[in-house]
Amino acid sequence: MVSPGSTDTPLLRDLYRDPDALDQRARRASLGRLGSCEEVANAAAWLLSPLSGYVTGQTIVVDGGMTAGSAVTRR
């Protein structure tokens, strides 16, 4: 399963219409930015490829480190 985090989509931009609020949301991730749809799709493509042939029953979280917690506070 692929579990995406804050991904830069029209829906997310509609939910966070204030650019400052969207920027704050992006900075919550360890990588300090929103993910792209392509990054989420790449995780799914890897799971569908022979490269993940011995992987079973996993959830791949594609969230830039948001659920792992951020050791660095970005300002």
Side-chain angles (χ1 to χ4, degrees):
M1 178 172 85
V2 174
S3 180
S6 294
T7 306
D8 193 359
T9 64
L11 177 61
L12 187 72
R13 288 188 176 273
D14 191 45
L15 290 172
Y16 290 89
R17 290 184 181 159
D18 176 13
D20 290 331
L22 184 63
D23 185 54
Q24 283 182 335
R25 178 72 184 188
R27 287 186 283 134
R28 287 181 53 200
S30 295
L31 295 180
R33 63 177 179 81
L34 298 174
S36 71
C37 294
E38 183 177 6
E39 289 168 316
V40 176
N42 287 341
W46 178 76
L47 281 173
L48 293 167
S49 80
L51 295 173
S52 69
Y54 204 63
V55 176
T56 61
Q58 298 300 311
T59 300
I60 307 298
V61 180
V62 184
D63 71 353
M66 190 174 293
T67 55
S70 178
V72 178
T73 302
R74 299 184 188 271
R75 295 175 190 220

